[in-house]
Amino acid sequence: MRKIAYLMTALLLWSCSDDDGGTGPNPNAELVVGTWNLTELRISPAQDIDEDGTPTSNVLTELDCISARITLRADNTWTFNGNDLVVTTITGGLFKFFCSEENRTSGGNWDIQGNTLRLADGTGNVTQFAFDSANNTLTNLIGEVLPGLQAEVYTQ
């Protein structure tokens, strides 16, 4: 009789184990909630936009009129507020850079899977960011060359 009781107990404990394959809540979800400010806007190749003799790949060090902010809320909604960089091609690999005078706002829902943060806007467009908890950054790797952008980096 005692063997049956041990067997039943072992069977009961084994049948209650977590075998649904779920991983539980992502611990990064709490870490990304908050306000993220644009701290780097990378271009390639490097340019001397302010004509001080020093080319750089970070537009923000050359133009102080660019700003952007992403707010991620605990209810998995987000908002963006900022102005855009406008790049026009001149000739011979030269470009003109200036800040948009209009503020752009958007929003939608967000989720995070592992270290990938996804922002979905109201039209279904999804933008992915790599979350780096060690450096507290969100990076959208765009990967284009001028007149496109390489990446945008936000810091909390």
Side-chain angles (χ1 to χ4, degrees):
M1 186 70 172
R2 195 175 264 183
K3 287 183 182 181
I4 293 175
Y6 287 131
L7 181 62
M8 293 299 285
T9 302
L11 187 58
L12 180 62
L13 290 174
W14 180 71
S15 66
C16 292
S17 68
D18 183 14
D19 61 355
D20 62 0
T23 59
N26 186 333
N28 288 334
E30 289 183 15
L31 297 176
V32 298
V33 171
T35 301
W36 297 82
N37 294 301
L38 182 66
T39 54
E40 188 176 351
L41 193 56
R42 278 188 240 146
I43 57 171
S44 178
Q47 302 286 308
D48 185 12
I49 299 167
D50 62 4
E51 299 178 354
D52 66 354
T54 307
T56 183
S57 60
N58 184 2
V59 174
L60 297 183
T61 62
E62 300 279 314
L63 289 175
D64 60 1
C65 58
I66 298 283
S67 67
R69 176 177 313 145
I70 298 172
T71 302
L72 302 172
R73 290 182 284 284
D75 66 357
N76 291 86
T77 61
W78 64 273
T79 54
F80 169 89
N81 188 352
N83 63 330
D84 294 319
L85 172 68
V86 180
V87 182
T88 58
T89 303
I90 302 173
T91 57
L94 299 176
F95 301 91
K96 178 176 170 108
F97 298 82
F98 56 96
C99 302
S100 170
E101 293 180 14
E102 293 184 25
N103 238 14
R104 181 171 57 90
T105 60
S106 59
N109 297 309
W110 67 268
D111 71 354
I112 188 163
Q113 295 179 355
N115 291 330
T116 302
L117 174 75
R118 299 181 309 173
L119 304 181
D121 67 14
T123 62
N125 292 323
V126 176
T127 304
Q128 292 190 12
F129 290 82
F131 172 58
D132 181 343
S133 60
N135 293 314
N136 206 29
T137 59
L138 294 174
T139 303
N140 175 16
L141 292 174
I142 302 165
E144 297 177 3
V145 295
L146 283 171
L149 299 173
Q150 282 285 304
E152 56 183 345
V153 180
Y154 291 81
T155 306
Q156 196 172 35

